Amino acid sequence: AHVDPTALTRSSTDTNHPRPSYNDTAKLSSNNWTFNKTLSNLIRQNILRFLDPERDISILKGTLKPGDIIHYVFDRHSTTNISENLYRLLPTVSPMKNQHHRRCAIVGNSGILLNSSCGPEIDSHDFVIRCNLAPVEEYSRDVGWRTNLVTMNPSVVQRAFQDLVSEEWRDRFLQRLRSLSGSVLWIPAFMAKGGEERVEWALRLILLHTVDVRTAFPSLRLLHAVRGYWLTNNVHIKRPTTGLLMYTMATRFCEEIHLYGFWPFPLDPQGKPVKYHYYDTLKYEYTSSSSPHTMPLEFRTLSTLHRQGALRLHTGTCD
Ligand code: CTP
């Protein structure tokens, strides 16, 4: 499968913002789902033509030095420098090197998880991936607490931790980082301009308090490669969400992939309201035309893969 590289910068106008609808996606069969190993292997092989998640999950230390200039992936005309702290926290080998797991859970942040009682089921997976440092402690009954890898968009520092303005917020942030003990903290530091300081604050805290996390910074080619893979499968995604990035990468390390908390719609299948995030007050307008994401389109794609048995989407309760 070849991809026209110019297509990566084109945007499709028709599919970018389909109206959120749950009718066509509500009928996700969950009882008679069986894993389609053949299809899942095929998807892994196809994805490997575009990226190698083991490599692209992080830039390695040997490839950069402090002071090197990086062009942001989405803001090509803006640059940033590799700071001393970032350099110190670059891994020397891939944090996912030789990792293979039978069953992985990827936990999205939709409010569909509330009252799901899915916590124990999520935690029973061999490898658990979470997004954007979403809180677990207060929600563990529904979302579990185990975390092997968690992402952190720089904007999270502002949105969930008030830009660390006070001692109290710095403490809260530090507590959250400490609770990750041993996990991979995946920081897309070079995607969009504007997050430089936030990343730097986080890295400083990690170093100052010798927080036991394994930091990873995605390669500059990851985003384009992921888009390229989905484009050749006719899924025209402007900017893949963290959740889709995690699924695409997890195919490399995981046999069976189970998705929880993926539901980008304001109503559940029964018509009851669903919060955008299970833990905050962010609204659905957030994903409207101003957002670079195309979550409903991604969701339809994941639903198709669910029906084919390549992955399993869990959108109901777990008891
Ligand atoms: N997600 C979903 N339905 C929602 C909210 C989130 O399916 N109502 C999934 C998406 O795949 C998303 C992931 O859960 O990527 C994590 O949620 P969030 O932290 O909001 O994702 P981001 O992609 O990082 O969004 P943003 O770029 O706005 O920070």
Side-chain angles (χ1 to χ4, degrees):
H2 288 286
V3 61
D4 167 9
T6 62
L8 296 179
T9 52
R10 259 183 254 143
S11 69
S12 74
T13 44
D14 52 347
T15 46
N16 279 345
H17 300 291
R19 278 191 79 73
S21 125
Y22 60 91
N23 293 333
D24 54 343
T25 49
K27 299 176 217 79
L28 287 172
S29 56
S30 51
N31 296 334
N32 53 6
W33 182 90
T34 47
F35 178 50
N36 185 338
K37 195 171 162 59
T38 316
L39 178 59
S40 142
N41 286 341
L42 188 69
I43 290 172
R44 177 179 310 112
Q45 282 162 21
N46 284 334
I47 288 175
L48 278 168
R49 293 177 198 201
F50 289 83
L51 63 147
D52 178 356
E54 188 179 289
R55 180 194 61 199
D56 290 312
I57 192 165
S58 187
I59 295 172
L60 298 183
K61 212 172 211 147
T63 62
L64 289 173
K65 52 185 186 323
D68 277 357
I69 295 169
I70 302 272
H71 285 260
Y72 286 106
V73 173
F74 294 118
D75 304 295
R76 289 287 309 152
H77 300 296
S78 301
T79 58
T80 181
N81 290 85
I82 298 294
S83 71
E84 287 284 345
N85 288 339
L86 196 142
Y87 180 76
R88 285 172 68 186
L89 287 167
L90 286 174
T92 45
V93 289
S94 168
M96 290 304 284
K97 190 169 172 59
N98 295 332
Q99 288 214 33
H100 298 283
H101 303 282
R102 205 176 76 70
R103 290 172 74 252
C104 297
I106 304 176
V107 188
N109 288 335
S110 167
I112 197 82
L113 280 166
L114 291 173
N115 298 318
S116 69
S117 305
C118 285
E121 190 178 302
I122 290 172
D123 284 346
S124 75
H125 290 76
D126 304 306
F127 196 84
V128 181
I129 299 175
R130 299 183 189 272
C131 302
N132 284 321
L133 285 184
V136 287
E137 230 173 68
E138 317 87 294
Y139 303 94
S140 62
R141 193 176 70 95
D142 294 328
V143 309
W145 59 268
R146 279 193 50 221
T147 305
N148 298 99
L149 185 152
V150 63
T151 71
M152 188 195 90
N153 284 349
S155 57
V156 167
V157 177
Q158 183 236 331
R159 211 183 289 148
F161 297 95
Q162 302 290 312
D163 263 343
L164 313 181
V165 287
S166 61
E167 198 63 41
E168 193 198 333
W169 283 107
R170 283 193 289 279
D171 264 0
R172 277 200 207 186
F173 185 59
L174 189 59
Q175 284 319 316
R176 183 71 187 100
L177 294 176
R178 282 197 163 129
S179 71
L180 299 173
S181 167
S183 348
V184 176
L185 177 64
W186 190 81
I187 309 175
F190 309 119
M191 296 300 162
K193 65 173 178 187
E196 200 176 352
E197 273 192 300
R198 290 169 184 138
V199 171
E200 195 55 31
W201 296 335
L203 302 185
R204 218 177 286 155
L205 279 179
I206 290 171
L207 286 164
L208 190 68
H209 298 273
T210 42
V211 177
D212 178 25
V213 284
R214 291 149 65 209
T215 41
F217 304 86
S219 80
L220 300 176
R221 56 189 301 285
L222 176 75
L223 246 292
H224 293 305
V226 169
R227 271 188 80 195
Y229 167 74
W230 290 104
L231 267 176
T232 52
N233 286 280
N234 260 324
V235 185
H236 294 256
I237 292 163
K238 249 213 277 187
R239 204 187 275 198
T241 64
T242 305
L244 190 72
L245 281 175
M246 288 301 121
Y247 166 70
T248 313
M249 290 209 291
T251 57
R252 172 78 159 91
F253 315 110
C254 307
E255 279 281 309
E256 258 184 58
I257 299 179
H258 294 252
L259 306 185
Y260 296 82
F262 283 66
W263 187 266
F265 308 109
L267 300 175
D268 74 5
Q270 284 75 43
K272 286 212 224 79
V274 176
K275 286 179 71 185
Y276 179 65
H277 281 159
Y278 66 82
Y279 52 88
D280 64 20
T281 54
L282 220 58
K283 297 277 182 271
Y284 275 91
E285 295 84 71
Y286 177 70
T287 59
S288 70
S289 55
S290 61
S291 163
H293 294 323
T294 47
M295 277 196 200
L297 167 66
E298 287 188 6
F299 185 84
R300 281 200 298 277
T301 307
L302 296 171
S303 306
T304 306
L305 293 171
H306 167 93
R307 280 190 292 273
Q308 295 169 336
L311 56 82
R312 185 161 179 183
L313 259 174
H314 298 260
T315 52
T317 56
C318 291
D319 30 46

